[in-house]
């Protein structure tokens, strides 16, 4: 059967023949082919695809854009590049990819160099002709590099970069970005889309107007910090002052002395508004960039015998320049916070941080299992959105009876209700589920503060992992494979509950129980107040609160829940341990039918045993 559709684009007419599109896996899941046709018939504007984890959104996105033109496909982290590469290889689609340049660079493999320092170091070595990997690019045609890329079996982006170095001794970053004109798909991480300076480093000759954009895990965009942010701490500012003062740039030193005074005034453990006028100075930003370049050139002259050592040098000025660049944006404000050091953050207070880039593209597809409804998405993008909810349109993708939702009303992490007794009761609940669960138990908390408080009462659990800032995803995955009965304490919105799969070697989900220990609302502070106030100007107070608070909490909840069921063979028991999950606002956004509601801890355990 062959069907033809006449599709109208802004300035052209294209006839697309939707024939028997074939799945590389033999057959389509329910709703996949229909989703492909829906997207293809609406290319050219904003499209939203809400589909559950395991549906196959990546394959749908690729098939719906075949022969449409150039596609820029972005993911949040470099770990999420691999599934996209796998599907592009399975469909025989030409592609190139790019992630962190410093993590691709053979001169700094295995070393931690701040990205701000890396790029200026890289620029100087290229300008001076001192990077052999870069100069070696002239030995090979783009066609040859693309052929090698297509022939590689690996879907691991790090391994692909490494193979280009091993086989051709070339710079993998510039080798891969040079292919942009020759391929159908470019895959990249978020900064290459949302930060103009990062985009231009990789694709200086291509404008976003040349692309259709696909955004994976698009719910992240509802937090504009995903698109752009920067920070400076007291230690870095003080070191920058010492460098500038020693070089004799006294006007810049005076500015930095005042900046240090501003940072020294930070005393709150929550974001506190700082007058932007106390920090911003465009003249100083330009002067700092010039001083940084001069400093790096001096270092390079001292390292002429080993220029590659320049790649490993750092300067406090690099981070300061980036901070001022971000803070100069009209939609960004400054906020102080006391953590391990006194810090000032440059944070966006509106969705302009996202939309200023997306408006340029030919069309945008936003995909996630946690997208809010059509009305809220349209308010955010300020445009008509063609919206497809796969579950509502085509029914459940996996058997609904495979997931059991229970609301436990005896507890809440509401700020007014927090106490040692509450933390102890959460620990008791988590432990009771862990003891009867033969698989992985994932307990998810609103913040590190709550996690750490509860974890103090879980010391006697045999196998437990507590997420912190040093936690590495690879270590957690290895631990999960070695310990089938494991308790993981994680933070909502963190690295262990976003785009992560805990699967056995045969593909089955190892997570059988998820406990949401509280509703993961953003903490109340000046940043939240400013963000909510900015939204209220064009959507009203009620909707602004819903977007800034309820929607953010629900997205984090749904992302955590999505760690359990990855296929039709998986089963999961979900405990929503906070009475606020009964509120109409949260229930409307979550769209979950609760199987049970109880205030009795022993009933939670009995329901778990019965379910499994």
């Amino acid at each position: 059967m062959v069907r033809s559709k006449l599709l109208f684009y802004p300035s052209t007419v294209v006839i697309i023949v939707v024939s028997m599109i074939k799945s590389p896996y033999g057959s389509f899941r329910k709703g996949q082919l229909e989703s492909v046709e829906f997207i293809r018939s609406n290319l050219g504007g904003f499209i939203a695809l809400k589909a559950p984890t395991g549906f196959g959104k990546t394959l749908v996105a690729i098939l719906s854009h075949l022969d449409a033109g150039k596609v820029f496909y972005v993911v949040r982290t470099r770990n999420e590049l691999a599934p996209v590469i796998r599907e592009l290889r399975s469909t025989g689609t030409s592609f190139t990819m790019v992630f962190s340049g410093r993590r691709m660079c053979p001169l700094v493999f295995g070393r931690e160099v701040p990205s701000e320092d890396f790029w200026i170091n890289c620029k100087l070595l290229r300008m001076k002709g001192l990077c052999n990997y870069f100069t070696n690019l002239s030995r090979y045609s783009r066609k040859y590099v693309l052929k090698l890329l297509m022939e590689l079996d690996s879907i691991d982006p790090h391994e692909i970069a490494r193979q280009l170095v091993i086989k051709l001794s070339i710079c993998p970053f510039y080798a891969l970005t040079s292919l942009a004109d020759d391929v159908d798909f470019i895959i990249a991480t978020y900064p290459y889309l949302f930060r103009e300076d990062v985009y231009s480093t990789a694709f200086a000759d291509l404008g976003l107007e040349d692309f259709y954009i696909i955004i994976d895990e698009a719910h992240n965009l509802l937090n504009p910090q995903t698109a752009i942010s920067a920070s400076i701490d007291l230690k870095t500012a003080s070191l920058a002052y010492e460098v500038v003062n020693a070089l004799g740039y006294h006007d810049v030193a005076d500015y930095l002395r005042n900046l240090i005074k501003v940072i020294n005034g930070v005393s709150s453990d929550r974001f506190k508004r700082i007058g932007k006028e106390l920090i911003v100075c465009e003249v100083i930003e330009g002067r700092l960039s010039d001083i940084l370049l001069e400093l790096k050139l001096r270092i390079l002259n001292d390292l002429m015998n080993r220029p590659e050592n320049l790649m490993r040098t750092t300067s406090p000025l690099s981070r300061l320049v980036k901070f001022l660049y971000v803070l100069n944006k009209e939609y960004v404000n400054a906020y102080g916070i006391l953590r391990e050091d006194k810090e000032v953050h440059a944070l966006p207070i509106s969705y302009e941080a996202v939309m200023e880039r997306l408006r340029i593209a030919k069309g945008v597809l936003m995909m996630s299992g946690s997208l809010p409804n059509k009305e809220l998405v349209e308010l955010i993008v300020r445009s008509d959105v063609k919206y497809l909810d796969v579950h509502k349109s085509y029914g459940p993708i996996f058997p609904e009876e495979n997931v059991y939702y229970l609301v436990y009303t005896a507890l809440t992490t509401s700020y007014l209700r927090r106490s040692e007794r509450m933390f102890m009761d959460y620990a008791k609940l988590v432990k009771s589920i862990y003891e009867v669960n033969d698989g992985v138990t994932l307990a998810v908390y609103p913040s590190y503060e709550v996690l750490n408080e509860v974890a103090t009462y879980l010391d006697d659990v045999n196998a437990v992992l507590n997420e912190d800032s040093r936690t590495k995803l690879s270590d957690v995955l290895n631990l999960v494979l070695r310990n089938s009965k494991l308790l993981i304490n994680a933070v909502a919105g963190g690295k262990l509950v976003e785009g992560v799969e805990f699967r056995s070697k045969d593909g089955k989900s190892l997570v059988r129980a998820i406990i949401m220990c509280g509703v993961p609302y953003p903490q109340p502070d000046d940043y939240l107040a400013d963000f909510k106030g900015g939204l209220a100007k064009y959507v009203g107070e009620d909707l602004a609160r819903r977007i800034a608070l309820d929607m953010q909490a629900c997205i984090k909840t749904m992302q955590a829940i999505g760690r359990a069921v990855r296929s039709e063979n998986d089963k999961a028991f979900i405990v929503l341990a906070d009475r606020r999950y009964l509120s109409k606002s949260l229930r409307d956004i979550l769209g979950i039918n609760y199987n049970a509601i109880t205030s009795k801890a022993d009933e939670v355990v009995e329901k778990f045993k019965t379910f499994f």
Side-chain angles (χ1 to χ4, degrees):
M1 180 176 64
V2 178
R3 284 169 287 177
S4 297
K5 294 187 179 182
L6 189 62
L7 305 187
F8 291 90
Y9 292 91
S11 59
T12 185
V13 177
V14 179
I15 296 179
I16 294 179
V17 177
V18 182
S19 60
M20 297 297 291
I21 300 174
K22 295 181 179 179
S23 167
Y25 304 106
S27 62
F28 286 103
R29 282 200 174 105
K30 180 171 61 174
Q32 278 189 317
L33 187 57
E34 293 87 346
S35 298
V36 170
E37 295 185 8
F38 174 86
I39 295 168
R40 288 184 76 110
S41 64
N42 288 291
L43 288 174
F46 283 96
I47 307 169
L49 175 67
K50 182 178 182 179
T53 299
F55 170 69
K57 292 187 289 291
T58 302
L59 179 62
V60 165
I62 291 169
L63 294 178
S64 62
H65 283 77
L66 291 182
D67 303 320
K70 287 197 168 297
V71 179
F72 199 67
Y73 193 130
V74 294
V75 298
R76 189 173 67 97
T77 69
R78 61 184 182 276
N79 292 325
E80 294 164 358
L81 290 168
V84 186
I85 296 172
R86 179 179 60 236
E87 299 294 11
L88 286 167
R89 289 202 188 284
S90 74
T91 57
T93 307
S94 65
F95 72 91
T96 189
M97 58 137 212
V98 60
F99 57 101
S100 169
R102 64 192 169 105
R103 298 191 185 279
M104 299 172 77
C105 177
L107 294 178
V108 293
F109 274 163
R111 296 177 176 85
E112 287 297 326
V113 179
S115 60
E116 301 87 3
D117 282 294
F118 170 81
W119 282 114
I120 191 167
N121 297 344
C122 173
K123 180 179 180 180
L124 287 174
L125 287 187
R126 286 184 283 114
M127 285 173 54
K128 297 286 187 179
L130 295 173
C131 176
N132 291 332
Y133 294 103
F134 184 76
T135 55
N136 286 347
L137 288 171
S138 60
R139 297 181 181 179
Y140 304 97
S141 66
R142 298 201 310 267
K143 183 178 179 181
Y144 184 85
V145 175
L146 179 58
K147 182 174 181 292
L148 175 59
L149 174 62
M150 294 297 101
E151 291 174 350
L152 291 174
D153 292 330
S154 179
I155 64 170
D156 180 348
H158 295 88
E159 180 60 19
I160 290 172
R162 196 173 73 89
Q163 286 298 317
L164 290 177
V165 174
I166 292 172
K167 295 179 181 295
L168 304 181
S169 193
I170 58 176
C171 168
F173 179 86
Y174 282 104
L176 291 167
T177 57
S178 72
L179 302 178
D181 263 333
D182 308 308
V183 298
D184 296 320
F185 277 70
I186 298 172
I187 328 165
T189 46
Y190 279 5
Y192 289 94
L193 172 60
F194 295 110
R195 283 187 53 191
E196 186 178 3
D197 57 323
V198 177
Y199 177 90
S200 61
T201 298
F203 310 110
D205 298 328
L206 287 173
L208 271 183
E209 63 273 10
D210 297 323
F211 291 102
Y212 291 100
I213 294 175
I214 299 173
I215 305 172
D216 203 3
E217 302 294 349
H219 62 272
N220 286 294
L221 303 187
L222 303 176
N223 177 2
Q225 292 181 48
T226 303
I228 188 168
S229 64
S231 66
I232 192 77
D233 56 35
L234 183 59
K235 180 180 178 181
T236 302
S238 300
L239 290 172
Y241 169 78
E242 292 176 9
V243 170
V244 169
N245 196 48
L247 291 172
Y249 295 103
H250 300 302
D251 58 331
V252 180
D254 288 343
Y255 164 82
L256 290 175
R257 193 181 297 112
N258 290 329
L259 176 61
I260 290 168
K261 188 181 298 183
V262 171
I263 301 175
N264 252 323
V266 171
S267 59
S268 174
D269 61 355
R270 297 186 186 179
F271 283 125
K272 195 78 173 174
R273 190 182 304 105
I274 293 176
K276 189 172 176 178
E277 70 280 358
L278 298 175
I279 301 174
V280 169
C281 180
E282 291 186 20
V283 174
I284 291 296
E285 181 191 347
R287 295 270 284 131
L288 280 169
S289 297
D290 293 340
I291 294 169
L292 177 60
L293 185 60
E294 177 190 333
L295 184 62
K296 293 287 186 176
L297 282 169
R298 290 187 186 186
I299 296 171
L300 181 59
N301 290 332
D302 292 338
L303 295 173
M304 285 304 292
N305 293 330
R306 295 292 302 275
E308 67 274 12
N309 286 344
L310 175 71
M311 295 301 293
R312 300 161 197 168
T313 65
T314 63
S315 168
L317 299 184
S318 301
R319 186 175 173 188
L320 182 56
V321 168
K322 177 187 175 182
F323 170 75
L324 292 175
Y325 168 81
V326 173
L327 189 58
N328 266 324
K329 298 283 186 181
E330 184 180 352
Y331 48 77
V332 172
N333 278 355
Y335 301 88
I337 191 168
L338 179 61
R339 290 176 173 163
E340 292 181 3
D341 195 359
K342 296 182 177 184
E343 303 172 356
V344 176
H345 289 244
L347 303 175
I349 57 170
S350 81
Y351 287 116
E352 187 61 23
V354 174
M355 294 312 302
E356 71 173 0
R357 300 290 288 162
L358 298 188
R359 290 191 198 101
I360 305 171
K362 281 184 178 180
V364 179
L365 169 62
M366 301 171 285
M367 306 190 303
S368 172
S370 309
L371 282 178
N373 62 34
K374 175 181 168 69
E375 175 194 12
L376 291 178
V377 173
E378 288 184 333
L379 284 171
I380 290 165
V381 302
R382 302 194 197 183
S383 177
D384 177 59
V385 175
K386 302 301 181 182
Y387 192 102
L388 176 62
D389 185 325
V390 170
H391 181 93
K392 287 184 177 180
S393 297
Y394 309 116
I397 305 306
F398 304 133
E400 291 186 309
E401 61 269 19
N402 283 11
V403 183
Y404 193 95
Y405 293 98
L406 182 147
V407 180
Y408 183 57
T409 62
L411 294 172
T412 179
T413 55
S414 171
Y415 282 95
L416 296 177
R417 302 281 185 177
R418 291 185 183 182
S419 65
E420 286 303 311
R421 178 76 257 172
M422 183 206 72
F423 296 135
M424 291 172 66
D425 287 344
Y426 268 114
K428 184 178 179 180
L429 173 68
V430 170
K431 188 176 179 181
S432 68
I433 297 294
Y434 166 78
E435 288 176 342
V436 296
N437 183 17
D438 292 330
V440 172
T441 301
L442 178 62
V444 183
Y445 304 85
S447 65
Y448 283 112
E449 176 190 356
V450 176
L451 186 158
N452 292 332
E453 291 284 0
V454 175
T456 60
Y457 301 103
L458 292 169
D459 286 342
D460 56 342
V461 173
N462 291 331
V464 60
L465 182 143
N466 298 325
E467 180 186 353
D468 59 28
S469 59
R470 298 164 297 177
T471 302
K472 292 184 178 179
L473 181 57
S474 57
D475 293 340
V476 177
L477 294 174
N478 289 331
L479 184 63
V480 168
L481 290 173
R482 294 197 307 269
N483 297 271
S484 58
K485 186 178 176 65
L486 176 70
L487 169 62
I488 299 176
N489 289 317
V491 174
K495 66 187 78 173
L496 301 186
V497 293
E498 289 271 350
V500 183
E501 295 185 348
F502 299 105
R503 293 198 192 197
S504 62
K505 292 181 180 178
D506 61 1
K508 189 174 182 180
S509 175
L510 296 169
V511 179
R512 299 210 316 164
I514 294 178
I515 309 165
M516 295 301 302
C517 296
V519 180
Y521 282 116
Q523 68 176 11
D525 54 28
D526 283 355
Y527 173 68
L528 179 62
D530 289 350
F531 178 53
K532 190 168 58 173
L535 286 174
K537 291 177 182 177
Y538 65 93
V539 301
E541 291 286 346
D542 290 343
L543 270 177
R545 185 195 181 283
R546 198 175 183 204
I547 293 170
L549 292 172
D550 294 341
M551 193 172 70
Q552 304 287 347
C554 288
I555 286 171
K556 289 182 179 180
T557 298
M558 293 304 295
Q559 281 299 300
I561 291 171
R563 297 316 96 207
V565 176
R566 315 297 289 184
S567 74
E568 57 271 14
N569 299 317
D570 297 326
K571 294 183 68 177
F573 189 84
I574 312 297
V575 181
L576 302 174
D578 193 309
R579 63 180 66 102
R580 291 174 294 176
Y581 278 112
L582 294 180
S583 73
K584 184 179 185 304
S585 180
L586 293 185
R587 294 189 74 164
D588 286 347
I589 298 173
L590 288 172
I592 294 172
N593 294 318
Y594 300 149
N595 298 95
I597 299 170
T598 184
S599 60
K600 299 176 181 179
D602 56 349
E603 190 174 337
V604 177
V605 175
E606 288 306 312
K607 294 288 186 184
F608 179 90
K609 290 178 179 178
T610 302
F611 178 67
F612 281 107

